[in-house]
Amino acid sequence: MHEPGARMVASHPLPEGFTEFDVFSLGSCLLVEGLLGFSLNAVTIVAFLKVRELRTPSNFLVFSLAMADIGISMNATVAAFSSFLRYWPYGSEGCQTHGFHGFLTALASLNFIAAIAWDRYHQYCTRTKLRWSSAISLVGFVWAFAAFWAAMPLIGWGEYDYEPLRTCCTLDYSKGDWNYVSYLIPMSIFSLGIQTFVVLTSYQSIAQKFKKTGNPAFNPSNPLKALLFCWGPYGILAYYAAVENATLLSPKLRMIAPILAKTSPTFNPFLYALGNENYRGGIWQLLTGEKINAPQTENKSK
């Protein structure tokens, strides 16, 4: 009964630079990230859809972030399955699809993190409520903007290829040629640099406001810390590949960046759903049936 399986494994040798333990460990990390992120974001999504009191424009941004993050978690789960097989079973077209899907959901997630920071700034510092028309337009723009940058490698500006483990696909930085650099610089400025700036300045302003009022609703330093922890290593690796041959780095070292990036869907529900008094109450109502007692004003809900 075991011989066919043994032959299948034998026919797919380990990726260069990885041991059997490495592949199993990385696959396990991806599986935990995928399943945990999927579960947490699924609860966030269902709570928004089921609990009427949660359906506000500000919470629509949190819901949209969860939709992007559940996509990242699904992408990680596919990568985990492939890691346990020790090879990518879906062919070159599947690799392109996986790379596009991963990039689309990652870029959307980064943009929604910035959108929530911008909205929180206005709620706390200018006392301006987000309108439904603005929220819907913003969400539509984010998905279209992310789709544009994720689609470019499919038509030749940038390229999707296997990550060092060769069981998942992302933007190919191994060549570091002009095609890669010319795509990387504008994409990273418009999809990571501006977002980091918005998160930094928004929460700095919120922190100053909390210092004056002495009544912090949340820790304003945590969103930026989580953003830099999850996506900083990927940004560093991407820019390192623009000036040096990234393949000279250890394959295991290069896998740290995607593994850390895929922890983002696990952190975000704690920062933006469970860390939000109003949204937390809605999740509690979903799970237990007990009504929300949190204040219903937009400013208090964050």
Side-chain angles (χ1 to χ4, degrees), residues 53 62 153 183 221 225 240 244 278:
E53 292 88 344
V62 178
Y183 172 77
S221 68
K225 288 178 181 176
Y240 179 83
E244 294 288 345
N278 174 252

Side-chain angles (χ1 to χ4, degrees), residues 107-130:
L107 296 180
S109 178
L110 287 165
N111 278 283
F112 284 127
I113 288 171
I116 292 170
W118 171 81
D119 177 47
R120 285 181 165 183
Y121 164 76
H122 282 291
Q123 286 197 35
Y124 285 110
C125 300
T126 70
R127 297 294 178 181
T128 305
K129 292 183 180 181
L130 183 66

Side-chain angles (χ1 to χ4, degrees), residues 45-55 285-286:
I45 291 166
V46 173
F48 180 85
L49 296 174
K50 293 286 189 180
V51 180
R52 183 175 57 81
E53 292 88 344
L54 285 187
R55 293 199 284 272
Q285 180 177 332
L286 173 72

Side-chain angles (χ1 to χ4, degrees), residues 75 88 94-104 106 150 153 158-174 180 183 187 231 234 237-238 254-255 257-258 261-262:
N75 195 271
W88 179 255
C95 178
Q96 297 301 302
T97 302
H98 189 255
F100 170 78
H101 175 259
F103 231 59
L104 170 67
E159 183 180 349
Y160 291 127
D161 205 347
Y162 299 106
E163 290 184 345
L165 197 59
R166 300 197 67 77
T167 57
C168 43
C169 297
T170 189
L171 183 68
D172 181 20
Y173 52 80
S174 63
Y180 168 77
Y183 172 77
M187 183 276 295
W231 296 105
Y234 222 127
L237 176 62
R254 283 183 279 140
M255 277 305 297
K262 289 179 173 66

Side-chain angles (χ1 to χ4, degrees), residues 52-91:
R52 183 175 57 81
E53 292 88 344
L54 285 187
R55 293 199 284 272
T56 67
S58 291
N59 285 340
F60 184 50
L61 297 181
V62 178
F63 163 82
S64 300
L65 172 62
M67 290 291 290
D69 282 346
I70 208 168
I72 298 175
S73 300
M74 293 167 66
N75 195 271
T77 304
V78 170
F81 176 72
S82 302
S83 297
F84 292 134
L85 290 179
R86 301 207 321 198
Y87 78 107
W88 179 255
Y90 308 109

Side-chain angles (χ1 to χ4, degrees), residues 30-286:
L30 289 166
L31 184 63
V32 170
E33 289 172 345
L35 295 180
L36 187 58
F38 185 92
S39 301
L40 291 169
N41 287 287
V43 170
T44 303
I45 291 166
V46 173
F48 180 85
L49 296 174
K50 293 286 189 180
V51 180
R52 183 175 57 81
E53 292 88 344
L54 285 187
R55 293 199 284 272
T56 67
S58 291
N59 285 340
F60 184 50
L61 297 181
V62 178
F63 163 82
S64 300
L65 172 62
M67 290 291 290
D69 282 346
I70 208 168
I72 298 175
S73 300
M74 293 167 66
N75 195 271
T77 304
V78 170
F81 176 72
S82 302
S83 297
F84 292 134
L85 290 179
R86 301 207 321 198
Y87 78 107
W88 179 255
Y90 308 109
S92 59
E93 288 189 4
C95 178
Q96 297 301 302
T97 302
H98 189 255
F100 170 78
H101 175 259
F103 231 59
L104 170 67
T105 51
L107 296 180
S109 178
L110 287 165
N111 278 283
F112 284 127
I113 288 171
I116 292 170
W118 171 81
D119 177 47
R120 285 181 165 183
Y121 164 76
H122 282 291
Q123 286 197 35
Y124 285 110
C125 300
T126 70
R127 297 294 178 181
T128 305
K129 292 183 180 181
L130 183 66
R131 298 179 181 274
W132 268 113
S133 57
S134 299
I136 292 170
S137 298
L138 182 58
V139 168
F141 171 78
V142 165
W143 281 112
F145 190 70
F148 168 80
W149 288 108
M152 287 301 102
L154 297 178
I155 61 175
W157 193 24
E159 183 180 349
Y160 291 127
D161 205 347
Y162 299 106
E163 290 184 345
L165 197 59
R166 300 197 67 77
T167 57
C168 43
C169 297
T170 189
L171 183 68
D172 181 20
Y173 52 80
S174 63
K175 298 182 182 70
D177 55 12
W178 173 244
N179 181 46
Y180 168 77
V181 174
S182 67
Y183 172 77
L184 170 71
I185 293 175
M187 183 276 295
S188 60
I189 290 172
F190 289 111
S191 296
L192 180 59
I194 291 173
Q195 287 74 6
T196 303
F197 177 77
V198 169
V199 170
L200 172 64
T201 55
S202 296
Y203 287 112
Q204 277 183 341
S205 298
I206 292 170
Q208 291 173 357
K209 187 74 173 180
F210 285 167
K211 193 175 292 185
K212 290 179 181 177
T213 61
N215 185 28
F218 58 88
N219 187 335
S221 68
N222 285 342
L224 181 62
K225 288 178 181 176
L227 178 66
L228 294 177
F229 174 80
C230 295
W231 296 105
Y234 222 127
I236 292 170
L237 176 62
Y239 269 88
Y240 179 83
V243 295
E244 294 288 345
N245 183 358
T247 59
L248 296 178
L249 296 173
S250 160
K252 283 186 275 192
L253 182 63
R254 283 183 279 140
M255 277 305 297
I256 292 175
I259 292 292
L260 289 178
K262 289 179 173 66
T263 62
S264 183
T266 304
F267 285 116
N268 289 341
F270 289 102
L271 290 171
Y272 303 108
L274 294 170
N276 170 326
E277 183 183 9
N278 174 252
Y279 217 113
R280 186 169 62 246
I283 291 173
W284 179 254
Q285 180 177 332
L286 173 72

